[in-house]
Amino acid sequence: MFGGHIIFGTLLVGSLCLSLVSTDTCPSGGMPGFPGIPGFPGRDGREGMKGDKGYTGIPLKPDETRKKGEKGEPGTRGISGKRGPQGDFGIMGPPGSLGVPGEPGNLDASRSHLQSAFSVARSTRAHPESNSLIRFSRVITDINKDFSTTEYKFVCKIPGTYYFVFHASSTEKHLCVNLIHDEKKLAVFCDHMQKGNQQVSSGGLAVYLKENEKVWLTTGTYNGLFAEGEKADSVFSGFLIHAHTHTK
């Protein structure tokens, strides 16, 4: 726009000079023209490329964050800490599978685990004969089949120390009971009755036995022993206290 004004002004001055020359009044050189009017500011240029990210600056204070370095190598393993408290017990797991059967045991090595015990009773109200074997025909307990119901005697299968005891009901007559070990009388227990009374006598003894030795009971001169169903019993019992593994 201003450029058009400038050209127009130059043409106007030139025409004026030509007119003055023709009248001999125009000087030999023209006068400089006035400066033109400044133009409008140009448009902004295109946006430039983004520069690289700069480094983190040095903190102004010692406690401020500094530039993070690269990850270092793992350090050496430290000393193990103290053992913590024991945790709670977990839930019991399911039963395991059945194991393989073991080898048969050694009888001599397991004698301390063997047992022997018996209890036998009379089943008759009739008194036994004086100075005779007392027959106990009713077996209550015999875990090792040691009491012979044909001989009415205990037959030792496991050498060791046994305890024998009897509980005898008596009535009307006095009673004496003998504890016999292989034809040897070990103890005599007597009970003298009051007329018309009924009572129970008992006695016991520890006996050491070897294999196949026998123990039984006999009456003495007095034979008031009897049994009467649920009203009275006469019982002979014995059991192993300690097995002897090196003696037969």
Side-chain angles (χ1 to χ4, degrees):
M1 180 179 180
F2 288 102
H5 285 286
I6 295 173
I7 297 173
F8 177 74
T10 304
L11 293 175
L12 182 61
V13 173
S15 301
L16 181 59
C17 288
L18 290 175
S19 176
L20 291 175
V21 170
S22 61
T23 57
D24 297 329
T25 59
C26 183
S28 59
M31 294 292 293
F34 295 101
I37 300 172
F40 291 104
R43 292 181 298 175
D44 294 335
R46 295 180 179 178
E47 185 177 357
M49 296 178 64
K50 186 176 181 180
D52 296 333
K53 185 176 180 180
Y55 294 104
T56 304
I58 300 174
L60 298 177
K61 297 179 181 179
D63 58 348
E64 290 181 354
T65 304
R66 295 182 178 272
K67 178 183 177 182
K68 184 177 180 180
E70 295 180 359
K71 185 177 180 180
E73 296 294 331
T76 56
R77 185 172 182 176
I79 301 173
S80 300
K82 295 182 179 179
R83 185 175 182 178
Q86 183 175 354
D88 297 332
F89 288 101
I91 301 173
M92 182 178 293
S97 57
L98 187 65
V100 180
E103 297 292 330
N106 188 334
L107 180 61
D108 292 334
S110 60
R111 283 185 181 271
S112 60
H113 301 290
L114 296 177
Q115 296 181 351
S116 176
F118 75 94
S119 287
V120 290
R122 278 178 61 84
S123 300
T124 177
R125 181 179 173 82
H127 299 302
E129 297 292 331
S130 298
N131 301 310
S132 65
L133 174 69
I134 301 176
R135 292 174 172 83
F136 296 91
S137 58
R138 181 165 60 92
V139 176
I140 300 173
T141 302
D142 190 5
I143 63 175
N144 203 35
K145 307 298 181 183
D146 291 335
F147 188 85
S148 172
T149 55
T150 57
E151 295 183 78
Y152 308 105
K153 298 177 181 180
F154 173 81
V155 182
C156 178
K157 295 179 182 177
I158 305 171
T161 302
Y162 290 79
Y163 187 79
F164 298 96
V165 62
F166 73 90
H167 300 276
S169 297
S170 56
T171 183
E172 300 177 359
K173 299 176 66 174
H174 303 314
L175 174 64
C176 284
V177 176
N178 305 317
L179 182 66
I180 309 298
H181 170 213
D182 273 4
E183 305 298 341
K184 180 181 179 180
K185 185 184 296 184
L186 296 182
V188 179
F189 305 92
C190 288
D191 185 23
H192 297 280
M193 290 288 300
Q194 296 294 329
K195 187 176 181 179
N197 290 341
Q198 177 180 322
Q199 62 189 44
V200 175
S201 59
S202 62
L205 195 67
V207 183
Y208 172 74
L209 299 178
K210 296 179 181 180
E211 189 173 354
N212 294 322
E213 291 185 339
K214 301 176 182 180
V215 173
W216 64 92
L217 297 179
T218 66
T219 58
T221 303
Y222 301 112
N223 61 338
L225 184 77
F226 87 109
E228 190 176 8
E230 297 180 356
K231 296 182 180 180
D233 280 310
S234 293
V235 179
F236 179 36
S237 301
F239 56 88
L240 176 65
I241 298 175
H242 177 70
H244 295 260
T245 59
H246 301 295
T247 303
K248 292 187 177 180

